[in-house]
């Protein structure tokens, strides 16, 4: 899959040749999160071109990580599912995410804000428990963005179905959530508390009080939100001295010697 081979028999090198092409690991992430159709996969990697996505899917299929099957009842539609080899990548992807949350600085993380990705992540992590008695529409307004990344509508049905609309669906809005993209991203990643952001005016809610309570009950944070940032602590600690040496031991030298 990679442009050039490392020409090493080491299993790490062999795995890297399959997984370390740009976008590949993020595509595996999307498949692990349950996206199986081409358009849904695109929503999880919005900056990836359709042509490159198609190529990476073919590469993953050739590597035995993904299988492609025809969608029942749709002659020209296909679904993509992970094989046993692909599913075995779950702890790998999760470990990479934990490392990124812990060791990449907050400023570096928030340098790449993306409203489409954030709202797609929020949509697929909504747990509509308890379900609403009737369809509930929540409009998110990013005050610092221009269309088409300014308005999003989260529609939650009485059967626990959840949909994300990027154009006005025409339903009566039950709750408006007005904020800026950085604030909601910080909340999503566990870097900022929802209640404090609301009390400080960074998140403003308008609408039915019961819908506000429902939103807080339904809205789950990123799976990495509970991982504390370590990099800032490490840098603060390094001001009084050098960082501890975390290099791998030289071949033939015992670790810690």
């Amino acid at each position: 899959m990679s442009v050039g081979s490392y020409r090493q028999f080491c299993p790490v090198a062999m795995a890297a040749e399959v997984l370390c092409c740009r976008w590949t690991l993020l595509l595996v992430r999307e498949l692990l999160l349950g996206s199986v159709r081409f358009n849904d996969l695109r929503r999880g990697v919005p900056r990836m071109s359709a042509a490159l996505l198609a190529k990476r899917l073919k590469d993953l299929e050739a590597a035995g990580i993904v299988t492609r099957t025809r969608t029942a009842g749709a002659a020209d539609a296909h679904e993509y599912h992970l094989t046993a080899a692909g599913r075995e990548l779950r702890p790998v992807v999760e470990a990479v995410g934990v490392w990124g949350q812990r060791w990449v600085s907050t400023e570096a993380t928030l340098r790449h804000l993306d409203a489409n990705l954030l709202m797609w992540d929020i949509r697929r992590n909504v747990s509509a428990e308890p379900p609403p008695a009737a369809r509930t529409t929540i409009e998110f307004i990013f005050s610092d963005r221009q269309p088409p990344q300014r308005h999003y509508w989260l529609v939650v049905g009485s059967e626990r179905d959840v949909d994300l609309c990027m154009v006005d669906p025409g339903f009566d809005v039950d709750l408006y959530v007005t904020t800026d993209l950085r604030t909601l991203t910080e909340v999503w990643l566990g870097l900022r508390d929802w209640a404090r952001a609301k009390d400080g005016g960074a998140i403003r809610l308008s609408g039915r009080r019961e819908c506000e309570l429902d939103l807080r009950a339904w809205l789950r944070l990123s799976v990495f939100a509970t991982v504390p940032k370590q990099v800032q602590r490490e840098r603060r600690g390094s001001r009084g001295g050098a960082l501890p040496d975390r290099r791998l031991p030289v071949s033939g030298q015992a670790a810690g010697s």
Side-chain angles (χ1 to χ4, degrees):
M1 290 177 65
S2 56
V3 174
S5 172
Y6 294 114
R7 297 182 181 276
Q8 289 190 357
F9 62 82
C10 169
V12 174
M14 299 303 296
E17 288 192 12
V18 175
L19 299 172
C20 290
C21 292
R22 191 179 184 204
W23 296 109
T24 298
L25 208 57
L26 300 187
L27 185 51
V28 173
R29 175 199 69 190
E30 293 305 305
L31 290 160
L32 286 167
L33 287 171
S35 294
V36 297
R37 298 190 176 184
F38 191 90
N39 287 337
D40 286 344
L41 290 167
R42 282 205 72 187
R43 296 184 80 171
V45 282
R47 298 180 187 275
M48 187 181 190
S49 71
L52 184 56
L53 174 57
K55 182 180 185 305
R56 288 289 183 267
L57 286 168
K58 288 180 180 178
D59 290 341
L60 288 171
E61 190 175 3
I65 293 173
V66 165
T67 59
R68 187 178 76 149
T69 58
R70 194 176 298 278
T71 304
D76 298 327
H78 294 83
E79 293 184 357
Y80 300 88
H81 296 272
L82 291 167
T83 63
R87 293 190 297 273
E88 196 169 312
L89 289 169
R90 180 178 294 278
V92 176
V93 173
E94 290 175 347
V96 170
V98 168
W99 186 93
Q101 177 79 343
R102 180 174 289 138
W103 292 109
V104 176
S105 70
T106 299
E107 284 307 312
T109 298
L110 297 175
R111 198 176 296 141
H112 304 291
L113 299 176
D114 188 322
N116 288 339
L117 177 60
L118 174 63
M119 292 306 302
W120 182 243
D121 268 347
I122 288 175
R123 176 261 178 197
R124 62 185 170 194
N125 280 277
V126 167
S127 176
E129 291 291 347
R135 181 186 61 222
T136 298
T137 302
I138 302 169
E139 182 176 352
F140 288 78
I141 304 169
F142 292 113
S143 57
D144 60 328
R145 300 285 128 169
Q146 296 298 319
Q149 293 198 0
R150 186 176 179 88
H151 297 271
Y152 296 82
W153 292 262
L154 198 65
V155 182
V156 183
S158 58
E159 299 297 321
R160 300 179 178 84
D161 51 304
V162 182
D163 195 15
L164 176 66
C165 302
M166 297 184 182
V167 296
D168 190 345
F171 304 141
D172 291 337
V173 175
D174 299 287
L175 182 69
Y176 294 90
V177 181
T178 305
T179 184
D180 61 89
L181 182 54
R182 180 181 175 116
T183 292
L184 192 59
T185 304
E186 288 176 334
V187 170
W188 170 252
L189 291 174
L191 304 174
R192 191 170 185 178
D193 181 69
W194 172 282
R196 291 182 180 178
K198 178 175 176 289
D199 292 343
I203 294 177
R204 301 184 300 280
L205 304 177
S206 175
R208 292 165 43 210
R209 171 63 177 169
E210 59 268 30
C211 289
E212 178 182 342
L213 298 176
D214 285 341
L215 176 62
R216 293 301 299 125
W218 297 339
L219 187 60
R220 294 179 178 177
L221 301 184
S222 163
V223 294
F224 304 113
T226 58
V227 179
K229 284 288 185 186
Q230 188 70 24
V231 61
Q232 283 88 348
R233 300 177 192 173
E234 191 78 3
R235 288 176 179 172
R236 286 196 297 268
S238 70
R239 293 172 187 168
L243 287 171
D245 189 351
R246 288 188 171 83
R247 292 172 296 179
L248 291 171
V250 178
S251 179
Q253 177 182 350
S257 62

